[in-house]
Amino acid sequence: MSRRVDHAKASRAFIGDEPHIRFHDKRLWGLRELRDQAAHGIAEWEQLRALASQIKEHTLGNLAGYLEQFDRTARANGVVVHWAADAAEHNRIVHDLLAERGVDLLVKSKSMLTEECEMRPYLEARGIEVVETDLGERIQQLDGEMPSHIVVPAVHKLAADVAEVFADSIGTDRANADPHYLAEGMRQDTRPYFLRAGAGMTGCNFAVAETGTVVVCTNEGNADLSANLPPIHIASIGIEKLIPRLSDLAVFVRMLSRSALGSPITQYTSHFRAPREGGELHYVLVDNGRSARLAMDDFWYSLKCIRCGACMNTCPVYRRSGGLSYGGVYAGPIGAIINPTFDLKKYSALPFASTLNGSCSNVCPVKINIHEQIYKWRQIVAAQGHVGFVKRESMKLAGAVLGDPRRYRKLSETTGRAIAGLPRAFLYNPFNAWGKQRELPAAPKQTFHQWYAANRPSERVKPTVPCMAEPAAEPPQDQGETR
Amino acid sequence: MRIALFIPCFIDTFFPDVAIATLELLERLGCRVDYPPDQTCCGQPLGNSGCHDEARACETLFVQNFAGYDYIVAPSGSCVHHVRDHLSAAPDDDVTRQVRDRTYELVEFLHDVLGVRNFPWAEFPHRVGLHNSCGTLRRLGHASASELNGPAFSKPLALLAGVKGIEFATPSRPDECCGFGGTFCITEEPVSARMGYDKVRDHSAAGASYVVSADMSCLMHQRGCAERLGLPLRFIHIAQILNGARA
């Protein structure tokens, strides 16, 4: 049984580090600003969003047919197509391919799906070295951490942190935190792996059913090196990555990088369709819960996600808590709706790690109703009994009080006075979450209800019920109409 | 036109001045306003906590209290958002649907229904930062959201423009959430407080001496943060300014 993620606790640790949280917030907000400039620079942006959403919904609504078409065209192109029902099968397929060919080193360009399948530890336990080649992903690998963001995996680290990690692992100068120096150090370290690797692996941004093409969008070019230098290229593909036609790709290519980083396009948009001469190309199509999610009335829309990370960049909670605080492969708003589909109990806190502000839904290039799904998840988390005892009981009590005007009146008319009368030390203690970092509102002399009764005497107002400690003392027949 | 005043629970308890200003403002504008005395809460704290079943009695009571009115007006955008979009625990019948459709937040009622733009009795000679709460901005459509590519507009600014002497100070992140978020402010206290601190620092850096909003809950949170940080910001509900409060 997996441990429940405690987002609030993990975020407290992140927030405690002023230089890191300030940088993290500023850097990601900077991406959001660049995204705004890029999006607002295209007159038809909102139409593009609607179109992208429609294409994805259409594809998901006819997914079986498009998968069969993709499988067929890819095989005709000479690609070997594998199907994996879950993470274990994915890992076994990849391992068999490597083991049969005696491969002991795999170079890899970032793929969240292989993180989701926990492929790296699986292969490493079987004697196969796996080297991440994306700069951010490599930093995280060398530091023994998960990616904290789907586009900028090491965004929570300062350059000085990277200098530390690299000094310990690849021998760069600990005192030199210049990003260009560090990137060059990583480049020099990684090149030999590309040349020595027996196989290369990439993810997949878009899989085109019409042509059997896998499209990979990167900024560093390492996906091309991973795919082209070793004799075998394995592409790991989530089945939701399908789009019908090559012409549909234009819509998504226009939106992906603009949404992610504010740049018009990624540096490299690589199309892989057939094995190169003398080489092998394998596609592994992975379900791993996606079919089940497709069958969920409220949550299948999350399969439209193109992994741009815009929802993370704009999320004020993500920017203050860091991706690692979400405790799963997918962080931020998209993680809050995807992770519970894998393990509701483990990720039951994530739908509550949101203020429901809705900015995520507004930036989403495929118009996923993220914050509405977060709201829906909360209802399910509570209905399935995954909220704590104290919260559950206090909500039951609140529901009973708020559903009964007399009990509510008593409480509202004593709350103000109670706050005014309590000693400060009682209010500002570690058990009072409000008072830890915020002052309480001053207590007014009377409620609005009392004011209204006193100042609008001609109106018919329910008489004020005298303050009583125990609401159960009321005779039941007194409840209801009292005017 | 039968108008009912809905005063959310926390405004009734902690901010009666906001409720009084709302009532007086509507009366100044010629509205005859009823205050159904058995009202409590819209059910938002329960719904947002996922406690749909526990919200049933509260939401059913809400519908009973406000059934039959032409308009139900409240000085709280987030509560109106709940009523309109999430009040689903009460019986799903015509009465509930009417109550949901007829519930208005004060600013949109003034702006869209009454069409009022001038408040000749109002004068507020201060630099003011506007806080659009998230539900009000993005769900009720009070103003254009910065994420969307469309024409800019703001209903609260259109109303405040009718107040003498008022000046505006725009924060660098005008529609970033302040971190209140209902029960979020308790269950996710570390992030909530940090967001609040960042928000009030942003208002302060922009030169605001007051922060105004159509949502008192956000202001309660921001005021708590500003007081703890020792920032000289003051907080006021838009109903109070429009009703002629001077400071």
Side-chain angles (χ1 to χ4, degrees):
Chain A
M1 183 108 71
S2 42
R3 276 174 64 92
R4 236 182 251 258
V5 172
D6 188 341
H7 179 267
K9 193 176 164 191
S11 63
R12 185 183 300 284
F14 188 75
I15 289 169
D17 186 335
E18 186 62 28
H20 279 85
I21 186 184
R22 193 178 298 172
F23 169 78
H24 192 259
D25 173 54
K26 207 174 143 190
R27 167 96 173 97
L28 292 170
W29 181 256
L31 292 181
R32 161 70 210 277
E33 286 182 311
L34 291 171
R35 174 258 169 221
D36 287 354
Q37 284 169 24
H40 297 176
I42 292 181
E44 68 275 23
W45 182 258
E46 299 302 332
Q47 288 101 301
L48 273 177
R49 288 178 72 219
L51 185 56
S53 173
Q54 285 162 14
I55 294 170
K56 278 287 184 181
E57 290 193 12
H58 164 79
T59 316
L60 290 165
N62 302 276
L63 190 58
Y66 284 119
L67 282 167
E68 282 169 19
Q69 187 189 4
F70 179 72
D71 176 272
R72 204 164 53 240
T73 49
R75 285 178 202 273
N77 295 337
V79 178
V80 185
V81 181
H82 311 261
W83 293 79
D86 54 22
E89 196 172 0
H90 167 268
N91 294 345
R92 196 165 60 242
I93 289 167
V94 174
H95 178 253
D96 287 351
L97 285 172
L98 301 177
E100 281 162 16
R101 289 157 185 78
V103 174
D104 59 3
L105 171 64
L106 175 73
V107 285
K108 189 173 157 275
S109 177
K110 186 170 173 298
S111 146
M112 294 305 290
L113 177 56
T114 57
E115 293 283 341
E116 184 188 310
C117 294
E118 298 178 25
M119 182 195 75
R120 207 195 313 143
Y122 178 90
L123 293 179
E124 284 168 352
R126 285 156 185 80
I128 296 169
E129 189 180 1
V130 181
V131 174
E132 301 287 350
T133 62
D134 178 273
L135 176 59
E137 199 80 11
R138 181 68 173 156
I139 293 167
Q140 291 307 95
Q141 182 184 14
L142 292 173
D143 201 23
E145 281 185 340
M146 284 210 288
S148 77
H149 187 289
I150 57 181
V151 174
V152 273
V155 68
H156 59 296
K157 283 185 165 70
L158 299 170
D161 302 327
V162 178
E164 288 285 326
V165 174
F166 280 10
D168 291 337
S169 53
I170 63 172
T172 52
D173 178 2
R174 191 175 299 276
N176 192 344
D178 172 51
H180 299 286
Y181 166 76
L182 293 168
E184 183 59 24
M186 176 18 197
R187 178 189 170 90
Q188 294 302 332
D189 182 70
T190 313
R191 288 286 147 148
Y193 289 109
F194 283 119
L195 298 172
R196 193 161 65 74
M201 173 173 257
T202 64
C204 162
N205 289 92
F206 305 100
V208 186
E210 175 189 46
T211 57
T213 307
V214 158
V215 180
V216 182
C217 303
T218 68
N219 282 315
E220 297 170 30
N222 48 333
D224 298 81
L225 293 174
S226 298
N228 286 311
L229 284 175
I232 166 173
H233 171 200
I234 305 169
S236 211
I237 306 163
I239 56 171
E240 84 283 17
K241 299 287 186 177
L242 267 283
I243 55 172
R245 300 163 306 183
L246 202 56
S247 57
D248 299 319
L249 183 66
V251 175
F252 296 100
V253 168
R254 286 187 84 191
M255 308 200 79
L256 179 64
S257 194
R258 283 187 169 92
S259 298
L261 305 167
S263 56
I265 197 168
T266 45
Q267 300 292 324
Y268 302 87
T269 301
S270 310
H271 296 229
F272 300 101
R273 200 179 64 138
R276 64 177 195 277
E277 242 177 70
E280 293 177 58
L281 179 55
H282 294 260
Y283 293 165
V284 188
L285 284 158
V286 186
D287 186 317
N288 201 35
R290 284 158 176 75
S291 299
R293 207 185 305 153
L294 192 54
M296 296 176 173
D297 285 344
D298 292 321
F299 303 112
W300 69 270
Y301 304 97
S302 64
L303 290 165
K304 296 194 288 180
C305 178
I306 59 170
R307 305 283 190 262
C308 67
C311 62
M312 300 174 165
N313 301 343
T314 201
C315 178
V317 176
Y318 175 89
R319 274 187 270 112
R320 267 71 170 204
S321 56
L324 299 177
S325 67
Y326 292 79
V329 172
Y330 304 100
I334 191 70
I337 59 173
I338 289 181
N339 290 331
T341 68
F342 291 115
D343 185 341
L344 182 58
K345 190 176 175 194
K346 180 176 180 185
Y347 298 112
S348 58
L350 298 191
F352 296 92
S354 165
T355 60
L356 300 173
N357 63 78
S359 186
C360 45
S361 302
N362 274 1
V363 295
C364 180
V366 289
K367 298 187 81 157
I368 300 173
N369 56 343
I370 302 175
H371 75 290
E372 288 171 9
Q373 291 191 39
I374 291 174
Y375 185 87
K376 284 264 164 60
W377 268 126
R378 291 185 181 186
Q379 313 303 318
I380 292 173
V381 167
Q384 299 202 0
H386 296 305
V387 295
F389 176 78
V390 174
K391 187 174 172 186
R392 172 111 251 168
E393 290 306 307
S394 55
M395 283 299 152
K396 271 188 197 157
L397 180 63
V401 171
L402 296 173
D404 178 347
R406 291 168 61 92
R407 287 182 72 176
Y408 165 74
R409 262 305 117 229
K410 268 184 265 177
L411 192 72
S412 69
E413 286 164 16
T414 52
T415 301
R417 287 203 296 278
I419 286 179
L422 286 169
R424 197 177 161 81
F426 186 85
L427 293 173
Y428 298 98
N429 68 56
F431 302 105
N432 178 349
W434 179 276
K436 277 181 190 171
Q437 302 189 69
R438 285 164 293 213
E439 295 295 312
L440 281 158
K445 287 188 198 71
Q446 57 186 2
T447 66
F448 173 70
H449 191 93
Q450 290 170 322
W451 176 91
Y452 194 88
N455 291 275
R456 293 286 193 276
S458 62
E459 309 288 338
R460 291 188 305 164
V461 183
K462 191 178 155 191
T464 303
V465 181
C467 169
M468 291 159 79
E470 185 45 67
E474 288 171 31
Q477 66 269 27
D478 266 11
Q479 308 216 348
E481 187 57 59
T482 55
R483 275 180 278 177
Chain B
M1 187 156 82
R2 292 192 67 217
I3 301 172
L5 182 64
F6 165 44
I7 297 303
C9 50
F10 74 100
I11 292 182
D12 173 50
T13 306
F14 291 116
F15 307 104
D17 290 352
V18 172
I20 295 165
T22 305
L23 176 64
E24 288 180 351
L25 176 61
L26 290 169
E27 287 174 346
R28 267 183 207 271
L29 292 165
C31 299
R32 166 84 172 80
V33 183
D34 282 357
Y35 170 68
D38 281 349
Q39 57 180 286
T40 59
C41 166
C42 63
Q44 182 180 209
L46 300 155
N48 279 8
S49 301
C51 296
H52 182 265
D53 292 343
E54 286 78 358
R56 186 159 297 119
C58 175
E59 292 188 359
T60 304
L61 176 68
F62 186 92
V63 172
Q64 284 167 2
N65 274 319
F66 293 103
Y69 285 99
D70 298 315
Y71 294 99
I72 300 127
V73 182
S76 173
S78 72
C79 301
V80 172
H81 163 45
H82 180 80
V83 171
R84 212 178 276 173
D85 301 321
H86 288 152
L87 191 143
S88 56
D92 182 26
D93 55 22
D94 286 346
V95 180
T96 299
R97 278 189 288 275
Q98 275 187 357
V99 166
R100 290 174 61 155
D101 290 348
R102 294 174 179 185
T103 300
Y104 282 75
E105 185 280 325
L106 176 67
V107 167
E108 61 181 8
F109 184 71
L110 298 175
H111 187 278
D112 300 349
V113 180
L114 297 184
V116 60
R117 293 291 182 278
N118 293 307
F119 303 87
W121 51 82
E123 184 174 357
F124 201 71
H126 303 281
R127 274 179 74 80
V128 167
L130 173 67
H131 175 71
N132 281 318
S133 86
C134 301
T136 314
L137 173 72
R138 298 192 182 86
R139 307 316 295 172
L140 302 185
H142 252 203
S144 47
S146 61
E147 303 95 6
L148 297 176
N149 192 353
F153 69 95
S154 170
K155 294 176 187 178
L157 287 180
L159 297 185
L160 289 169
V163 174
K164 277 191 289 291
I166 197 165
E167 286 181 78
F168 298 104
T170 309
S172 68
R173 302 179 185 182
D175 54 18
E176 168 116 319
C177 176
C178 69
F180 172 67
T183 51
F184 177 88
C185 74
I186 300 296
T187 57
E188 287 266 348
E189 184 271 340
V191 179
S192 173
R194 175 70 195 203
M195 286 168 67
Y197 284 7
D198 287 349
K199 189 81 206 178
V200 294
R201 285 181 189 130
D202 195 7
H203 275 301
S204 191
S209 53
Y210 275 86
V211 178
V212 63
S213 179
D215 273 78
M216 205 57 220
S217 50
C218 302
L219 292 185
M220 173 173 74
H221 165 69
Q222 290 178 41
R223 188 168 82 181
C225 291
E227 284 178 9
R228 186 60 67 91
L229 290 176
L231 290 174
L233 276 174
R234 301 177 74 183
F235 297 83
I236 190 164
H237 192 278
I238 192 166
Q240 294 172 287
I241 293 183
L242 298 179
N243 190 45
R246 290 294 189 268

